[in-house]
Amino acid sequence: MNKLILLHIFFLAVLFLFSPVIQAKDKKITVVIDAGHGGKDSGAKGSTVNEKVINLAVALKLGNLIADNYDDVKVIYTRKTDKFIELDERANIANRNKADLFISIHANAVKKGSHVIGTETFTLGLARTEENLDVAKRENSVIMLEDNYLQKYENFDPNSTESYIIFEFMQNKHLEQSISFASEIQKAFTTAKRVDRGVKQAGLLVLRKTSMPSVLVELGFMTNKDEEKYMKSAAGQNVLAAALYNAFVKYKKEYDKRTAGQNKTVAPAVSPKQEVNEETGKKEINSAHAKKDPVVYKIQILISPKKLSATDKRFKGYKNISYYQDGKIYKYTCFESANKEAADKKLLQVKKDFSGAFVVAFKNGKRNL
Ligand SMILES: [Zn+2]
């Protein structure tokens, strides 16, 4: 009899232990897979196949791999057929569905008959080289197939180099995670024996309005005969989709760790010991050391690859400008408060001048992700 009770207790304990797992599974993450081009927009033209066909094939294969292996991931496609979709709408689909990750799939092109070969992954930013700028120009020029594109994209001329200056100061909250996913993709391509051309940044319109980590992948060059043949083949497409999937697996692991960690950092109790011996930005957060709340909230308004003076015109006369560094990027904030509500309230006002502004939390001078 006693044994039976013990057994019951044991089963109850097991149930209890596993209930958080069940909860975690309920919390789906959403991935939007965007097959570049489609319909009247064929993308880069190869000698026997167009870019749009390859993009769609790889997108569907990737989506199937994710859907087959993850119960807690929702896959959404911007298109599943040969259909024309405006660039902004692709980002809108991701935003409307509150996606957690956006992957735009493309194939590259340079001059016909060129031997340039390999894969590259872009995140949003200012192109550092002529080559990267050319990719952005080519991918962005599809907006000219849309009605009223000048109006819709605020007079953005995809072919003029000057237009791209806006990307230098573009706010991108998710840059870090986008770069980390892009790096996983390039690593996976290398493992799959594809030529790695690296992680790059460029002013890609399709990434501009997405409000989640987002990347644009160039699977290979349509202008290289061998690579075109490879990307056209089912075997090649399987390898490429599998590499993207493997990168997703790594990213998802990190994502799960991060979200689990987030719950931990929300806990308000912080022992005073944790607050000492921090060097970076100590001065900046002095005001936040006010007893109870060790977290200080600032409003990030823009990022720049260069250091800017606090009186720079781009700050639009805002006071209390400070910055923190993230790799080689300077991230500028205005406002500072230990009160999250005050920061949220102020944000509404700041957004009128900096539409991409958002609140960032700092703990002991470090960004509290
Ligand atoms: Zn493309």
Side-chain angles (χ1 to χ4, degrees):
M1 212 43 183
N2 265 349
K3 266 188 192 166
L4 204 63
I5 291 169
L6 273 173
L7 208 63
H8 268 119
I9 291 171
F10 174 75
F11 278 120
L12 276 176
V14 167
L15 262 180
F16 201 74
L17 270 175
F18 281 91
S19 61
V21 177
I22 294 162
Q23 264 174 15
K25 277 198 168 177
D26 283 345
K27 208 187 133 228
K28 284 209 170 199
I29 78 160
T30 303
V31 178
V32 168
I33 303 177
D34 172 45
H37 312 278
K40 63 182 173 184
D41 167 19
S42 54
K45 289 186 172 73
S47 52
T48 63
V49 65
N50 287 330
E51 182 195 342
K52 64 174 184 178
V53 176
I54 291 167
N55 297 343
L56 182 60
V58 174
L60 294 174
K61 283 175 192 283
L62 168 64
N64 282 337
L65 281 171
I66 296 176
D68 288 349
N69 290 288
Y70 285 95
D71 291 341
D72 60 340
V73 180
K74 188 172 168 192
V75 176
I76 291 173
Y77 302 91
T78 53
R79 68 179 179 100
K80 284 175 94 172
T81 55
D82 183 18
K83 199 164 93 180
F84 179 76
I85 296 167
E86 300 185 346
L87 273 196
D88 262 6
E89 177 54 15
R90 295 169 191 263
N92 289 341
I93 290 173
N95 292 341
R96 272 202 304 271
N97 287 288
K98 298 195 169 50
D100 300 283
L101 189 63
F102 179 82
I103 313 167
S104 189
I105 298 176
H106 288 257
N108 229 327
V110 280
K111 260 193 199 148
K112 253 203 169 138
S114 154
H115 294 293
V116 180
I117 190 167
T119 61
E120 49 197 32
T121 304
F122 285 87
T123 63
L124 187 70
L126 185 72
R128 297 260 161 261
T129 66
E130 204 62 32
E131 255 184 341
N132 297 354
L133 181 62
D134 284 346
V135 171
K137 284 181 176 173
R138 188 171 45 73
E139 299 291 10
N140 289 340
S141 66
V142 301
I143 61 171
M144 296 194 293
L145 296 173
E146 300 178 18
D147 299 330
N148 308 322
Y149 80 90
L150 281 175
Q151 212 180 334
K152 249 188 283 172
Y153 297 90
E154 293 129 14
N155 290 319
F156 184 88
D157 175 357
N159 293 314
S160 133
T161 303
E162 286 78 61
S163 306
Y164 288 82
I165 199 74
I166 57 160
F167 290 101
E168 183 166 11
F169 300 105
M170 182 138 284
Q171 184 51 258
N172 192 344
K173 186 179 172 181
H174 304 284
L175 189 62
E176 224 169 293
Q177 283 155 33
S178 303
I179 291 175
S180 133
F181 183 45
S183 313
E184 291 299 350
I185 291 175
Q186 287 308 121
K187 266 191 242 164
F189 279 144
T190 308
T191 312
K193 306 263 185 312
R194 302 311 297 160
V195 175
D196 169 26
R197 291 171 55 86
V199 172
K200 302 175 170 191
Q201 288 190 294
L204 291 152
L205 286 177
V206 71
L207 304 182
R208 183 184 166 192
K209 288 194 176 155
T210 55
S211 47
M212 74 281 318
S214 49
V215 299
L216 184 145
V217 182
E218 297 281 0
L219 298 171
F221 284 82
M222 302 291 296
T223 39
N224 179 307
K225 277 229 154 146
D226 293 337
E227 207 160 39
E228 180 195 353
K229 209 173 140 194
Y230 181 82
M231 290 190 289
K232 191 187 172 186
S233 71
Q237 290 167 2
N238 289 341
V239 172
L240 293 166
L244 290 174
Y245 170 74
N246 289 338
F248 174 76
V249 171
K250 295 258 175 64
Y251 182 83
K252 172 78 164 52
K253 255 185 212 158
E254 280 305 307
Y255 177 94
D256 290 342
K257 244 195 256 168
R258 202 167 52 237
T259 41
Q262 248 170 21
N263 295 337
K264 266 181 225 154
T265 49
V266 171
V270 174
S271 75
K273 268 185 189 165
Q274 280 172 287
E275 286 185 60
V276 294
N277 291 332
E278 287 290 342
E279 283 164 23
T280 23
K282 197 173 179 184
K283 208 171 146 197
E284 280 186 338
I285 60 147
N286 273 350
S287 61
H289 277 257
K291 288 141 215 165
K292 272 185 269 165
D293 195 350
V295 177
V296 68
Y297 299 94
K298 298 184 179 193
I299 296 173
Q300 189 165 315
I301 49 176
L302 55 86
I303 61 176
S304 164
K306 280 179 248 150
K307 201 169 168 178
L308 304 174
S309 124
T311 54
D312 195 289
K313 262 195 237 154
R314 279 166 288 224
F315 295 128
K316 301 181 181 174
Y318 273 61
K319 300 267 156 46
N320 296 322
I321 298 292
S322 65
Y323 70 89
Y324 63 102
Q325 259 180 292
D326 186 0
K328 286 180 181 160
I329 296 167
Y330 294 87
K331 301 189 167 180
Y332 287 89
T333 60
C334 69
F335 186 73
E336 186 177 321
S337 171
N339 181 334
K340 172 88 164 56
E341 269 166 40
D344 286 340
K345 204 172 154 198
K346 180 77 180 174
L347 176 67
L348 297 175
Q349 210 180 319
V350 174
K351 273 198 166 218
K352 287 179 192 150
D353 294 310
F354 299 93
S355 59
F358 58 93
V359 173
V360 272
F362 290 84
K363 202 170 189 176
N364 300 329
K366 281 184 185 150
R367 174 121 179 239
N368 193 17
L369 289 170

